[in-house]
Amino acid sequence: MSDDWDTVTKIGSKTSGGSSQRETVVRGKGALNQAQRAGTIVATEKKYATGNSVDKAGSTGQRLTKVDRSDDIVPVQKTGAEIGSAIRNRRSKEGPYKMTQAELAKKVNAPANDIKLLESGEAIKNQGLLNRVARVLKISPKTGKPLDGEE
């Protein structure tokens, strides 16, 4: 039995017949050896999702599976123009959040060019940078709307 966390070994399978053995997951090496001695069908399958996954939506894993199965070049996800314009508007409007791109970059500990790309919507999606910018400007990192009620 493999010690690989990404695979599941199953004993038995659904065959066309009356009283076939039910498919079960192996719990140890002894059960696997017993099944092999008995001559039952043993299959190993790759697991793609786990119960305690960090990303509950599973969209990242689905996208990676799509990339893996695709023969074409899959485009890289960009941040988006609506978030960029929200950052630009919040940063350029008079008030406590008015600052230059360089000042914002210094506050979030990132190069000024990254802020420029983020505002133009051409930046490769970097959720860490987006969260830091959103925290400094007090906007939602998903929608770009202000969190303090201002528009």
Side-chain angles (χ1 to χ4, degrees), residues 76-94:
V76 178
Q77 290 181 330
K78 302 283 183 167
T79 302
E82 58 278 349
I83 296 290
S85 64
I87 291 170
R88 186 180 329 102
N89 292 341
R90 182 74 163 185
R91 182 185 58 76
S92 61
K93 193 162 61 167
E94 287 295 328

Side-chain angles (χ1 to χ4, degrees), residues 80-136:
E82 58 278 349
I83 296 290
S85 64
I87 291 170
R88 186 180 329 102
N89 292 341
R90 182 74 163 185
R91 182 185 58 76
S92 61
K93 193 162 61 167
E94 287 295 328
Y97 306 111
K98 182 165 179 65
M99 61 186 84
T100 64
Q101 287 180 346
E103 291 169 341
L104 179 59
K106 189 171 185 176
K107 284 188 177 188
V108 298
N109 195 22
N113 192 40
D114 286 358
I115 302 299
K116 183 184 110 188
L117 290 172
L118 193 65
E119 287 184 357
S120 68
E122 292 298 313
I124 294 173
K125 192 162 189 175
N126 180 348
Q127 197 63 44
L129 175 62
L130 197 56
N131 288 340
R132 292 194 312 259
V133 169
R135 195 175 313 121
V136 168

Side-chain angles (χ1 to χ4, degrees), residues 54-75:
V54 175
D55 186 19
K56 294 295 181 189
S59 62
T60 305
Q62 290 172 352
R63 181 176 184 283
L64 291 177
T65 302
K66 177 183 173 187
V67 169
D68 190 37
R69 291 180 179 166
S70 171
D71 291 339
D72 300 335
I73 297 174
V74 179

Side-chain angles (χ1 to χ4, degrees), residues 7-13 23-24 26 32 40-45:
T7 58
V8 175
T9 304
K10 294 184 178 184
I11 299 174
S13 68
E23 194 174 85
T24 58
V26 174
L32 178 63
T40 57
I41 300 169
V42 178
T44 303
E45 296 177 1

